[in-house]
Amino acid sequence: MAGGVVLDEYGKPLKGVKVTVKGKTDTVSTDGNGRFEISAANNTVLVFKYPNYNVYQATVKDSKEITVRLIDTYIKKPAKIDVLYGTADASKNLGAISTIYTNQLTTTPATLYTYALPGQLAGLYTQQYSGFATPQVTPQTHSDFIGNVVAHNNYSPNDNTEFNISLRGQAPITIIDGVQREIASLDPESIESVSVLKDGLSNILLGINSSRGVLLITTKRAKAGPPRISFTAQSGVQTPLGLPTPLPAYQYAYLYNEALQNDGKPPIYSSADFNAYRNHTDPTGHPDVNWYNTLLRKNSPMKSYKLNVNGGSEIARYSVSLNYLNQDGMFKTASSVPYNTNNNLSRYIINSDLMVNVTKKFVVDLQMFGRIQSGTQPGAGYGNILGGLYSTPNNAYPATNPDGSFGGTTMFTNNLLSQAQYSGYQRTNSNDVLANLDLTYDMSSITKGLSGKAKGNMALSSQGVLDRSLQNNTFLMKPDSTYAGVGASRSQVNNFNSVSTARYSYAQLSLNYDRQFGKHNVTGMMLYDTRSVNLNYDLTSVTTNEAFKAGYNYDEKYFIEAAVNRSGYSRYPPGKQFGLFYAGGLGWQMAKENFIKDNISWISSWKWRATYGRTGNANVDNVGYYNFIQTYSSPNGYQYSTGTSRSDVQGIYADQLANPFISWEKADKIDIGTDIALFNNHLTITADYYRDRYKDLLQIRGRNSLLLGTQYSAENIGVVLNQGEELTLTYQNHINNFNYFVSGNASLQYSKNVFNDETPTPYPWQRHTGRSTGAIYGYTALGFFKDAQEAATSATTTGYTAQAGDVKYQDLNKDGIINQFDISAIGNQRPLLFYGASLGFNYKGFSFSMIIQGVKNRQFLFDNSMVNGFAGVGFLGLTYAGQGYDNLTGRWTPETAATATLPRLSLGNANNTAFSTLYVRSGDYLRLKNAEIGYELPFQWVKKLKLSGVRLFANGENLVTLYGYKGIDPEVSNGAYPIQRVINAGVTVKL
């Protein structure tokens, strides 16, 4: 006889663990104290299995008591999954839903949980726009920004602005614990699951906003049991990626001379200048300042601390999550400045949940969320500094003059070093408070399976900017060693601006029914909810849903489900605010049919499902601020003379034309999918085909007449078709105590403009209708003119005389002129393919995991000023004076005509910088997005310290990128804050 105890990862007793003797079928289960007894001889092997935990094997030794601690699996397969406003049995679900869980989030060291999503969820496409989460609001734009917020009502506080997330081609709605809320800075350790809801049936309860799909976040809720406490401390180092290589001053000067000469102008740099730049003999008169090395650190730190507590009794349960994060930016700072001028993000988050069984039937659940976030940046604004960094040549001016003043010229009047380290600072303070109250009542005394639920939510957000910026004067050192001020100085200010305030409220009432009658299962829901949003000083906008949903299945073999929703939005015209939205689905569990069940043992499950939904999208950006009402403005007027005096005459004019017929956008969404489990559920396959036809999209007619003299409003006329295929495969198994997994997903996405009311065009290649919605338009480049004769006899752009080495374009309409009639779709015409894979293992406390992310068939237009150089600053007479990069060495010359990758050098040459296939770059890439290695100390060690567990780990983000171009990142374009590689290490202690 053998016996012992089984514990979870916190060292707490685990009930219901299946214990078997290897090679035998007899099984026992652990009791409420985690204990077991089983008949087993000495030296036999016991196998311990529990859902969503790694399989563990232990050898019986001299009948000694066995203590086993199980570790939860990396990829979970729970019996119930999260759906909109509840949970459902995974075996009964008909919708297209993909889910990842805590372990798949916490291995990524990031400021936002969204950084952990790429490559993990089929149908979810991500592109990172920036490598830093600090909002950028510069002093020069405060008033404009605030005015834009109030006037257009198109701002909603959202801390996920550096990420583009699309779900089957649409920006999803984020719902956290049943409430719509755009918060991305949640602690991944406090998140239970992240799901994407992709089809019409899954999202129909959103009614007028059901077209866009849902990013569904469920945080960890209070659970009964002994206190489970964990504390994680980690520290990382960030390194910027994708930085271009600027030309050294001497090479820049040489190529600049070449550009001048190509334009028929005399050179401005002599051989003596070249030598002075190359040898650094005159750092003031001939500077060679690598601004990237001068302003940027090679790496910057980030650190975080997390405390999670969960426990309680069956009557009262609690969960508390505390998180602190501090992330530094990549700018260098000056030791003489008494305050921080670098980018910095400092954030405190608390998320708590208290669940109380007031009676056996009545449960109260109160959740509180609070966030205090502070973002600092240099006083000049990091966006302005990065713009200057990318466009300022190494030879523009010295960082400092011999007397210590900041260098400058009449063109470069604001010194970059001064802006980055000596311009004061800005601080953006953001505060969020959110409270959810859920009341659930078991009404089975009325009829079995009936329950009621009431939910209420209140949320407040505010953002303000503290401006303590200043500007230093810059000086040009003259040949006689005297100085001339060429800039302007501004003393340090001390201003505070309230950028935004937001108030949200949400209320929901629902009646739920779930009952089994033999082999018949019936479910139903009646739901009413209302959501109010008040941004800044706007009038409140209100969304309302009145929905009914019902489902039936026979023997969990045949399924049918349907829903209808009367939904409305207050900013549509009175009498036209509500619409009817509906969806339905069918399912068949084919594996339960006798022809499979009795003959094919390796098929564990094979479910077919199909859904259809007529959904809606209240396009808030285009609906505007009650723009069905015509408004008028007053011009400055004019004066007229009465002979002895002048009088003002005031008039009025119509603003944008009102559209009293404006309505919501609609979609017909079809999804056909299958869920397969093979080989005793070790291999799972999910595949989907979808066809989403969006119609009544808000667009401004291309054929509107300009004679009216005012702007037209958008109308419900556009039609777009999105369709695609998605596939996910996951395999999990074990060899003795070696538990391993591999999972992969791929999504193929097509998008087409079915109807777009365009300005009539004489040629079919000019039209956008029928093309991809993400198509790039421009000229088709045929290479470069090989000589003057070819340039003189070929079609060229309007008003331009071509020369040898200029870009040659295809004359599509054969009229001898290159103009708007020769523009066609030149990129992004193929379906977008994005994919990901994760793999890893766990063995005797050691764990390893990695995530790979990739994109195929993506193209983008590269920044022409970065390609051709010398642009982005202004003019010196008629010539550009911006930066040049190492790619300029590939320019056309008579000697390199056969191998040139760029046209001849020229200054301000519109022909050579026009959008064309010459500048279309592949956006395909493969990235090792994340990897982590960890070690869980043996329980026998840590229990001596009266701890439940200690785990050491190291992980990284954006570790390796395979991409065809150097000096740029495939996601973050030049000019933005560069993406960061993060190397991170930490420890988790469990009590």
Side-chain angles (χ1 to χ4, degrees):
M1 182 68 66
V5 62
V6 180
L7 309 173
D8 65 11
E9 66 270 29
Y10 284 89
K12 311 302 180 184
L14 199 56
K15 180 182 178 181
V17 178
K18 303 296 184 183
V19 186
T20 60
V21 177
K22 191 173 183 179
K24 297 184 178 181
T25 58
D26 295 342
T27 301
V28 300
S29 297
T30 57
D31 60 18
N33 295 317
R35 302 198 64 82
F36 71 93
E37 284 190 357
I38 190 170
S39 178
N42 198 34
N43 294 322
T44 58
V45 176
L46 301 183
V47 181
F48 300 83
K49 293 183 179 180
Y50 190 74
N52 296 308
Y53 278 76
N54 288 316
V55 175
Y56 188 83
Q57 299 185 8
T59 303
V60 178
K61 293 289 186 182
D62 301 323
S63 298
K64 291 182 179 179
E65 184 171 272
I66 297 173
T67 299
V68 172
R69 182 177 56 168
L70 298 184
I71 304 298
D72 54 341
T73 59
Y74 184 84
I75 298 179
K76 297 184 182 298
K77 298 177 182 177
K80 286 188 175 292
I81 61 173
D82 293 316
V83 297
L84 193 58
Y85 306 138
T87 61
D89 292 337
S91 61
K92 302 175 183 177
N93 174 60
L94 300 183
I97 299 176
S98 300
T99 305
I100 58 176
Y101 295 89
T102 307
N103 288 350
Q104 294 162 280
L105 297 168
T106 55
T107 59
T108 300
T111 57
L112 309 174
Y113 76 84
T114 48
Y115 284 84
L117 302 183
Q120 298 211 72
L121 293 162
L124 188 73
Y125 174 72
T126 64
Q127 181 183 345
Q128 189 172 345
Y129 286 153
S130 170
F132 204 85
T134 302
Q136 180 186 333
V137 182
T138 63
Q140 294 82 359
T141 60
H142 283 166
S143 60
D144 293 340
F145 184 77
I146 296 170
N148 183 62
V149 169
V150 176
H152 298 99
N153 186 41
N154 62 359
Y155 174 76
S156 177
N158 180 358
D159 54 9
N160 194 33
T161 53
E162 68 273 24
F163 246 93
N164 170 34
I165 297 179
S166 66
L167 185 57
R168 291 186 173 178
Q170 299 288 312
I173 293 173
T174 302
I175 295 182
I176 302 174
D177 293 328
V179 179
Q180 183 177 340
R181 195 71 176 90
E182 305 297 331
I183 297 177
S185 55
L186 295 175
D187 174 15
E189 288 190 13
S190 70
I191 295 176
E192 182 67 33
S193 66
V194 176
S195 302
V196 288
L197 282 55
K198 298 174 279 190
D199 66 298
L201 179 61
S202 297
N203 300 315
I204 197 63
L205 296 182
L206 288 175
I208 207 164
N209 288 309
S210 55
S211 288
R212 291 169 48 189
V214 168
L215 188 62
L216 186 67
I217 315 299
T218 302
T219 61
K220 291 182 178 178
R221 313 310 291 267
K223 295 180 182 179
R228 292 171 167 82
I229 304 173
S230 70
F231 175 76
T232 300
Q234 51 189 329
S235 179
V237 175
Q238 309 163 92
T239 305
L241 302 177
L243 294 177
T245 303
L247 292 173
Y250 78 92
Q251 197 170 18
Y252 174 89
Y254 179 86
L255 295 179
Y256 197 86
N257 271 359
E258 183 179 313
L260 288 172
Q261 291 173 313
N262 287 341
D263 290 343
K265 298 172 184 177
I268 61 174
Y269 297 108
S270 66
S271 59
D273 293 325
F274 299 150
N275 291 331
Y277 285 132
R278 185 194 298 269
N279 300 323
H280 300 158
T281 55
D282 181 16
T284 303
H286 293 80
D288 185 11
V289 183
N290 187 317
W291 291 107
Y292 290 86
N293 295 340
T294 301
L295 302 185
L296 306 183
R297 297 196 281 186
K298 291 184 178 180
N299 50 66
S300 51
M302 63 181 295
K303 58 184 176 182
S304 68
Y305 304 97
K306 307 172 185 180
L307 176 65
N308 290 277
V309 183
N310 200 312
S313 66
E314 293 294 339
I315 296 177
R317 304 167 293 286
Y318 58 88
S319 174
V320 179
S321 172
L322 302 173
N323 172 258
Y324 169 71
L325 170 78
N326 189 281
Q327 179 190 19
D328 264 350
M330 64 181 180
F331 294 109
K332 294 179 179 179
T333 57
S335 59
S336 60
V337 176
Y339 43 76
N340 181 36
T341 60
N342 189 12
N343 274 37
N344 178 268
L345 176 65
S346 177
R347 186 176 67 211
Y348 299 86
I349 295 176
I350 180 171
N351 192 19
S352 65
D353 182 47
L354 176 63
M355 190 179 297
V356 178
N357 289 53
V358 180
T359 67
K360 291 184 178 180
K361 296 183 177 181
F362 183 41
V363 179
V364 177
D365 188 356
L366 176 63
Q367 183 188 20
M368 301 288 291
F369 173 87
R371 178 180 65 169
I372 300 175
Q373 180 171 286
S374 175
T376 302
Q377 63 176 316
Y382 77 84
N384 293 332
I385 297 171
L386 289 176
L389 176 64
Y390 281 103
S391 60
T392 303
N394 289 18
N395 72 340
Y397 54 85
T400 57
N401 292 313
D403 67 346
S405 62
F406 294 111
T409 68
T410 54
M411 179 175 292
F412 297 91
T413 60
N414 201 348
N415 183 285
L416 275 175
L417 179 64
S418 172
Q419 293 181 66
Q421 300 181 20
Y422 299 91
S423 65
Y425 65 94
Q426 301 174 55
R427 181 165 296 148
T428 304
N429 299 306
S430 303
N431 300 300
D432 298 89
V433 177
L434 178 150
N436 286 339
L437 179 64
D438 290 2
L439 308 176
T440 306
Y441 192 79
D442 183 354
M443 304 170 70
S444 56
S445 57
I446 300 175
T447 183
K448 187 178 179 181
L450 185 66
S451 64
K453 184 176 181 179
K455 174 186 280 288
N457 167 267
M458 287 291 296
L460 300 174
S461 294
S462 65
Q463 186 180 81
V465 173
L466 177 64
D467 177 14
R468 288 181 174 159
S469 62
L470 60 91
Q471 182 171 315
N472 298 291
N473 200 356
T474 55
F475 297 88
L476 172 65
M477 184 173 141
K478 298 179 180 180
D480 61 358
S481 297
T482 61
Y483 293 91
V486 292
S489 61
R490 178 171 56 84
S491 59
Q492 190 163 26
V493 298
N494 187 21
N495 299 326
F496 178 81
N497 293 279
S498 179
V499 176
S500 69
T501 59
R503 296 170 296 283
Y504 305 87
S505 64
Y506 179 77
Q508 181 191 97
L509 294 172
S510 64
L511 199 61
N512 301 276
Y513 184 69
D514 189 346
R515 188 167 180 181
Q516 192 79 26
F517 300 91
K519 293 184 177 181
H520 306 273
N521 176 250
V522 179
T523 61
M525 170 189 279
M526 295 182 64
L527 177 139
Y528 169 84
D529 71 10
T530 179
R531 180 175 186 260
S532 300
V533 179
N534 190 284
L535 302 178
N536 298 291
Y537 308 107
D538 284 353
L539 296 175
T540 302
S541 64
V542 180
T543 306
T544 305
N545 293 285
E546 302 164 356
F548 173 74
K549 190 174 185 179
Y552 167 80
N553 78 78
Y554 173 75
D555 197 23
E556 295 191 6
K557 186 188 299 184
Y558 308 111
F559 306 85
I560 185 171
E561 192 171 329
V564 62
N565 190 344
R566 180 179 179 268
S567 180
Y569 182 54
S570 64
R571 291 194 173 170
Y572 287 117
K576 301 179 181 179
Q577 296 175 346
F578 282 84
L580 195 66
F581 307 91
Y582 47 87
L586 297 172
W588 175 33
Q589 179 52 270
M590 190 173 67
K592 288 196 172 185
E593 300 291 354
N594 291 337
F595 65 86
I596 290 182
K597 182 175 61 175
D598 298 338
N599 298 293
I600 310 176
S601 60
W602 49 269
I603 297 180
S604 307
S605 173
W606 193 327
K607 181 175 66 178
W608 293 94
R609 48 185 170 75
T611 65
Y612 164 79
R614 164 59 66 87
T615 60
N617 179 32
N619 192 327
V620 178
D621 289 338
N622 284 335
V623 171
Y625 192 62
Y626 300 101
N627 66 359
F628 60 86
I629 302 174
Q630 185 64 57
T631 60
Y632 300 87
S633 297
S634 299
N636 293 329
Y638 64 92
Q639 292 184 332
Y640 76 97
S641 174
T642 60
T644 58
S645 62
R646 292 180 179 273
S647 300
D648 291 330
V649 175
Q650 195 69 35
I652 61 172
Y653 64 89
D655 296 327
Q656 175 178 304
L657 290 181
N659 180 5
F661 307 105
I662 192 169
S663 182
W664 48 87
E665 301 172 341
K666 304 175 184 67
D668 293 306
K669 309 186 76 170
I670 297 172
D671 185 279
I672 300 172
T674 184
D675 304 313
I676 305 171
L678 307 175
F679 310 115
N680 198 24
N681 294 306
H682 288 303
L683 174 64
T684 58
I685 304 170
T686 297
D688 282 273
Y689 164 79
Y690 66 91
R691 187 180 188 275
D692 300 340
R693 190 174 190 270
Y694 299 89
K695 59 185 180 180
D696 294 341
L697 302 183
L698 286 167
Q699 295 178 356
I700 296 178
R701 291 187 184 273
R703 289 175 288 183
N704 286 335
S705 172
L706 297 178
L707 296 177
L708 192 61
T710 190
Q711 183 180 354
Y712 289 83
S713 60
E715 302 176 62
N716 296 99
I717 55 176
V719 181
V720 166
L721 177 65
N722 286 355
Q723 58 184 333
E725 298 88 35
E726 299 163 359
L727 177 66
T728 301
L729 296 91
T730 300
Y731 185 79
Q732 296 185 88
N733 210 336
H734 70 97
I735 302 173
N736 297 326
N737 282 332
F738 185 81
N739 291 266
Y740 62 95
F741 67 89
V742 58
S743 180
N745 67 84
S747 304
L748 194 62
Q749 181 176 293
Y750 313 77
S751 183
K752 182 173 72 172
N753 280 311
V754 177
F755 175 77
N756 187 2
D757 191 89
E758 304 177 75
T759 302
T761 59
Y763 305 107
W765 58 79
Q766 293 181 270
R767 297 170 193 161
H768 290 210
T769 298
R771 309 284 186 189
S772 168
T773 56
I776 301 171
Y777 293 86
Y779 298 134
T780 300
L782 302 177
F784 311 115
F785 291 116
K786 62 182 180 180
D787 52 38
Q789 181 179 358
E790 184 184 20
T793 57
S794 302
T796 59
T797 53
T798 304
Y800 180 75
T801 301
Q803 299 182 35
D806 284 335
V807 184
K808 180 181 180 180
Y809 300 113
Q810 185 174 5
D811 184 8
L812 295 179
N813 65 347
K814 309 299 183 183
D815 65 354
I817 301 174
I818 303 299
N819 56 19
Q820 71 271 21
F821 299 119
D822 300 299
I823 293 176
S824 65
I826 59 174
N828 283 340
Q829 287 293 284
R830 301 174 64 187
L832 180 66
L833 172 64
F834 48 98
Y835 55 93
S838 58
L839 56 93
F841 68 85
N842 182 285
Y843 179 70
K844 291 186 177 180
F846 288 98
S847 61
F848 171 78
S849 66
M850 61 186 293
I851 299 171
I852 298 171
Q853 173 210 6
V855 175
K856 189 75 174 177
N857 294 342
R858 172 175 166 259
Q859 295 175 306
F860 65 96
L861 268 174
F862 193 48
D863 186 350
N864 289 357
S865 63
M866 296 292 294
V867 172
N868 288 290
F870 311 132
V873 172
F875 293 91
L876 176 61
L878 296 175
T879 59
Y880 284 93
Q883 178 63 290
Y885 290 90
D886 60 349
N887 58 282
L888 292 186
T889 57
R891 84 288 189 199
W892 185 96
T893 66
E895 296 76 20
T896 63
T899 59
T901 57
L902 293 176
R904 68 183 180 92
L905 295 180
S906 182
L907 302 178
N909 189 317
N911 177 84
N912 291 347
T913 58
F915 288 163
S916 74
T917 54
L918 181 65
Y919 304 118
V920 173
R921 296 289 188 268
S922 169
D924 300 350
Y925 67 91
L926 180 66
R927 197 191 300 274
L928 177 55
K929 190 66 181 177
N930 165 260
E932 180 182 89
I933 185 168
Y935 178 64
E936 189 95 27
L937 298 184
F939 185 66
Q940 293 78 2
W941 297 3
V942 298
K943 70 179 182 180
K944 296 178 181 179
L945 303 174
K946 297 185 178 180
L947 300 175
S948 300
V950 175
R951 182 174 185 266
L952 308 175
F953 62 89
N955 50 35
E957 182 186 12
N958 300 320
L959 294 173
V960 179
T961 302
L962 302 179
Y963 181 56
Y965 302 93
K966 68 174 184 176
I968 60 173
D969 186 86
E971 290 187 270
V972 179
S973 60
N974 285 318
Y977 197 99
I979 196 170
Q980 304 287 306
R981 175 185 292 125
V982 181
I983 304 296
N984 182 70
V987 58
T988 297
V989 178
K990 298 175 182 178
L991 302 176

